[in-house]
Amino acid sequence: MLLGPAIVLAVIAVLVFRSVESEVDARLAGIHDRVAPKVYARPYVLRPGQALTFDELDDRLDDLGYTRRERAQAPGEFEVRATEIRLVPRGGSASGRVVRVALAIDGATRSGRVVSLRVDGTGVVPDVQLEAPLLTSVAAGTRGRQRQVPLQQLPAAVVQAVLAIEDRRFYSHPGVDVIRTVGAVVTNVRGDKPYLVGGSTLTQQLVKNSFLTPEKSYIRKVREQVMSIVVERRLTKDQILELYLNDVYLGQRGSFSVHGMAEGAHLFFGKDVTNVSLAEAATLAGIIQSPAAYSPSRHPGRARERRDVVLRAMRESGYVTAAAMEIALREPLRTAAGSIDAEAPFFVDYVTQLVSEQVALRASAQRVEVHTTLDLHLQRLAQDVVAAGVASIEQKLSKRKRQAGPLQAALVAIDPRTGEILAMVGGRSYQRSQYNRATSARRQPGSTFKPFVFLAAFDLALREGRTDLTPATLVADEPATFLFNAQEWSPRNYDGEYDGPITARRALARSRNLATIQMAELTGYQHIAALWRTVNRGFGAQAYPSISLGVFEASPLDLAEAYTVFPNLGQVRPLRAVTRIDVDATTLPPPDGGAPRRIAAAAPTFLVTNMMRSVLNEGTGASARGNGFALDAAGKSGTTNDLRDAWFVGFTPELLTAVWVGLDDNTPVGLSGSQAALPIWTAFMKRALAGHRSQAFAVPDGVSFAEIDKDTGQRAGPFCERVFNEAFLVGTEPQVLCETHNGVGMPGASMTGLPALLPMPAAAPLPTSHGMVPVP
């Protein structure tokens, strides 16, 4: 009598099971097809003279996933000795051969440098290129980070820690562990353990997190169990474990969710998963039960207690000895401060936005690799100097008893020859704020714009054959009120002091506002505005007097690109962050930033670069020299009204760096660009270019040099004491010998024998054709 209903139920059960099988097959196919695009930095290069300590090189090798051994023998291994680090690269210029990196450490400053590089079988080499370090894998379809690591490459301690605390019978149950489920219920009711015991297997957790919604119900639990059994029929135990260990959720860092033990090791401990200690492996496993409660960075006390529970579970399971457990229990819980910032998160965000459309079109791809321009060594240096610089500034402000909100800073470093972005810091802490000030904060550039005023002037002089616009032109640095469109404007110098008649070079070096405005008036505001619209496409500036002082908005990235016009002799190099995108067997072109743009002729551009060298040698950037930056360089400081924004942008022929310091609410910082931004710039450039030889800026055709008196701007005579070899456009050199230092009245002085020179031309009146006149 009951046979009919039993058959019906059996048929229904079979149909349901097959339906679940089909669903699981589809879900598994989705997991296998789900590709996390990998984002790589540029290959890491070692060079003699490079600023590097033992710890820093250890960190760089850890970025590449190298494992530290007592003796490095296999590719991907390294060893640390008293005076050198030996490594066996997996790729690059010395693949498979032992590389000996000799390091010297300064006992006083603890700074280090590479002394020499030796490759077995070759000898001393000028450089060694290693592999491209993986920055991160951006989890597909989510704002998450994960690193896919094969099971065999995960340390035994990590695997065993997870099995001991999450599923000791993993290799013996069919996907559902009835014994463990019943035991968990009994244990939790009796309170035999100081913590709650879970009943779900790793397979169930994988199904729950990857296949099902967060809904809690008996029906969903049954589906989870049935699906787990099906998964066990479709995959091997090792395949399930590998999927789980790469996908398990470990919490939130900044705006990213963290998935997988490998990514967790990087973000929590700042190291490759192959190098975690037993205690760190137990910490990672302990996070799984409740990532919010057991986060080692947010709740170190709870995380350590949970770690100790895991270690004891590993001892109970026979994975570790009692002695190893005791050593690990005594190990302090140390997390990597700012570890998420070590992953260049602002840059990764920027790159993700650039390539998102191209990657989305290849959704079915099995492999997506985004190769970027980032130099991870320079990136780490940038992060270090920004953090230290902001802390130093805050100390200065506290001594002045100035109360300010959280101080922020941004840094962009590029290769001006190519426009490649080498380092990007968008704020002091990505964990606290994901707002990228390097790309998105549009603030007034202030005096960092002044070089473009002089560039417009000299380019105009070349086009129109004018001789009154040169680096030696005298301009009046004195108080004045100007009328424009029936409105008065009374700018002043930052320090409230005025130098009177000074050369254009000195006006730029000392960042004198009134003298720069006069040069802008001589040039014409419309010419300056037109030049800036060509430089910074899409964000122009109005042809008002205030343009000469940078009273408009630009981001640090905008200024970095704009300044490439100077080392490139009049051409702007569009910035780029991506070199190529590899999708399966196809290489896609990077996002197109456009071709280089000719903004000005080479000769007038060189004049401005040559003038900006005086900013560092004797002007507002001179403290860089006092702090040990000795390479030939040019740059400009910037400070906006009421000391709200502090800037410094400077460059050598091979490295250009823009630094901004300010507050997000646009309230005054209270420090100038030379006080706040320049120290960060100096610290970065010193370390980034350590071991590099000074390179001269190329002098183009159409430039001549003449010795002038630094005070008068006239040709230097035999009695001039302050002489400078100034650059000019050919044909615009001063023709008048210095009349101030002519020897008249000096003991033993005589004018006999001096050549006849042209009379000094009368000073041209300030033009009024642009709608502005000085008010007496």
Side-chain angles (χ1 to χ4, degrees), residues 57-71:
L57 181 52
D58 191 320
D59 289 342
R60 303 303 177 264
L61 295 174
D62 197 82
D63 292 331
L64 295 172
Y66 280 41
T67 303
R68 184 169 177 172
R69 303 288 191 197
E70 289 297 321
R71 184 174 181 183

Side-chain angles (χ1 to χ4, degrees), residues 44-360:
Y44 185 48
V45 179
L46 293 165
R47 296 185 182 89
Q50 189 174 21
L52 204 62
T53 65
F54 280 90
D55 287 343
E56 287 172 340
L57 181 52
D58 191 320
D59 289 342
R60 303 303 177 264
L61 295 174
D62 197 82
D63 292 331
L64 295 172
Y66 280 41
T67 303
R68 184 169 177 172
R69 303 288 191 197
E70 289 297 321
R71 184 174 181 183
Q73 294 178 308
E77 295 180 348
F78 72 98
E79 61 181 276
V80 179
R81 298 201 172 189
T83 59
E84 68 180 15
I85 287 181
R86 298 184 180 182
L87 60 118
V88 184
R90 286 189 297 238
S93 61
S95 180
R97 292 180 289 169
V98 176
V99 176
R100 304 166 193 268
V101 186
L103 298 168
I105 305 298
D106 187 310
T109 64
R110 305 307 301 163
S111 60
R113 64 182 178 86
V114 177
V115 177
S116 66
L117 297 168
R118 288 181 174 272
V119 178
D120 281 5
T122 302
V124 177
V125 294
D127 59 64
V128 172
Q129 178 177 298
L130 305 179
E131 311 94 276
L134 176 67
L135 290 176
T136 191
S137 289
V138 182
T142 64
R143 190 173 175 80
R145 291 169 177 258
Q146 70 182 149
R147 295 168 186 253
Q148 299 287 340
V149 179
L151 181 62
Q152 61 269 26
Q153 291 183 17
L154 288 170
V158 171
V159 177
Q160 293 167 354
V162 173
L163 292 176
I165 197 65
E166 292 295 328
D167 193 352
R168 294 186 193 181
R169 288 167 43 83
F170 173 72
Y171 278 99
S172 60
H173 63 65
V176 177
D177 190 347
V178 177
I179 296 174
R180 184 166 186 256
T181 301
V182 173
V185 172
V186 173
T187 298
N188 291 335
V189 169
R190 288 181 177 177
D192 294 341
K193 299 282 187 181
Y195 53 90
L196 293 179
V197 176
S200 294
T201 65
L202 292 188
T203 313
Q204 287 178 263
Q205 292 181 46
L206 178 66
V207 167
K208 178 176 63 177
N209 295 330
S210 300
F211 296 175
L212 302 174
T213 65
E215 168 201 9
K216 292 185 177 182
S217 68
Y218 288 111
I219 294 176
R220 180 194 160 284
K221 189 67 176 176
V222 171
R223 290 188 70 225
E224 173 192 305
Q225 293 173 339
V226 174
M227 281 185 162
S228 298
I229 294 171
V230 174
V231 168
E232 294 268 353
R233 290 162 58 92
R234 294 292 189 269
L235 303 176
T236 67
K237 285 288 187 179
D238 284 353
Q239 287 175 324
I240 294 170
L241 187 56
E242 181 176 306
L243 281 173
Y244 178 86
L245 293 173
N246 281 308
D247 200 58
V248 64
Y249 175 67
L250 294 180
Q252 200 79 14
R253 296 300 299 270
S255 63
F256 285 98
S257 58
V258 181
H259 293 270
M261 308 303 279
E263 190 69 30
H266 267 271
L267 293 184
F268 290 116
F269 302 119
K271 60 176 63 176
D272 189 83
V273 70
T274 58
N275 294 320
V276 297
S277 66
L278 173 59
E280 290 166 340
T283 303
L284 290 173
I287 297 171
I288 295 172
Q289 187 184 73
S290 179
Y294 297 129
S295 167
S297 56
R298 294 182 180 178
H299 305 291
R302 293 183 201 165
R304 179 166 182 165
E305 290 176 4
R306 179 65 178 169
R307 178 203 71 179
D308 294 350
V309 168
V310 175
L311 288 169
R312 293 188 177 96
M314 294 180 74
R315 175 67 189 123
E316 291 173 8
S317 301
Y319 290 130
V320 298
T321 64
M325 180 191 71
E326 289 300 330
I327 292 173
L329 287 171
R330 290 194 294 271
E331 185 176 313
L333 178 62
R334 299 188 184 94
T335 57
S339 56
I340 191 168
D341 291 293
E343 302 287 321
F346 293 107
F347 179 79
V348 170
D349 280 357
Y350 177 66
V351 167
T352 302
Q353 292 170 1
L354 290 178
V355 304
S356 58
E357 186 174 336
Q358 287 173 286
V359 172

Side-chain angles (χ1 to χ4, degrees), residues 536-714:
N536 192 29
R537 294 173 301 180
F539 295 97
Q542 298 299 316
Y544 298 145
S546 58
I547 190 178
S548 54
L549 304 185
V551 184
F552 55 91
E553 294 183 339
S555 70
L557 201 67
D558 292 335
L559 277 186
E561 179 172 300
Y563 263 69
T564 63
V565 72
F566 298 112
N568 289 305
L569 294 174
Q571 279 193 331
V572 167
R573 289 283 191 277
L575 301 190
R576 64 188 191 121
V578 179
T579 56
R580 73 177 194 272
I581 305 170
D582 292 337
V583 180
D584 294 335
T586 304
T587 297
L588 303 180
D592 184 16
R597 306 188 303 278
R598 170 64 62 183
I599 303 302
T605 307
F606 173 79
L607 299 190
V608 182
T609 299
N610 196 40
M611 286 169 63
M612 282 193 283
R613 295 170 67 210
S614 287
V615 173
L616 286 159
N617 294 335
E618 58 185 352
T620 57
S623 65
R625 300 303 190 202
N627 287 316
F629 181 66
L631 297 182
D632 191 13
K636 186 67 188 76
S637 59
T639 310
T640 59
N641 286 342
D642 302 322
L643 303 179
R644 294 177 187 277
D645 300 283
W647 295 87
F648 196 87
V649 186
F651 55 92
T652 67
E654 59 183 319
L655 183 62
L656 187 156
T657 302
V659 176
W660 167 84
V661 177
L663 295 164
D664 286 340
D665 62 5
N666 205 28
T667 54
V669 175
L671 296 173
S672 67
S674 298
Q675 294 170 316
L678 178 60
I680 294 174
W681 182 90
T682 303
F684 175 74
M685 296 292 281
K686 276 178 59 180
R687 295 180 65 184
L689 295 173
H692 290 235
R693 293 182 177 179
S694 191
Q695 296 183 21
F697 292 103
V699 181
D701 293 337
V703 172
S704 64
F705 289 85
E707 290 192 338
I708 65 165
D709 181 85
K710 293 181 72 171
D711 298 318
T712 66
Q714 297 172 326

Side-chain angles (χ1 to χ4, degrees), residues 453-454 456-458 460-461 464 466-470 473-476 482 502 504 514-528 548 763-770 772:
V453 173
F454 292 94
F458 300 154
L460 181 70
E464 297 186 353
R466 291 174 61 172
T467 60
D468 62 330
L469 299 174
T470 76
T473 296
L474 283 185
V475 283
F482 301 93
I502 56 174
L514 275 298
T516 304
I517 295 170
Q518 185 181 350
M519 180 61 78
E521 181 70 1
L522 287 166
T523 305
Y525 301 114
Q526 74 275 20
H527 294 298
I528 299 168
S548 54
L766 286 176
T768 60
S769 58
H770 310 300
M772 186 183 87

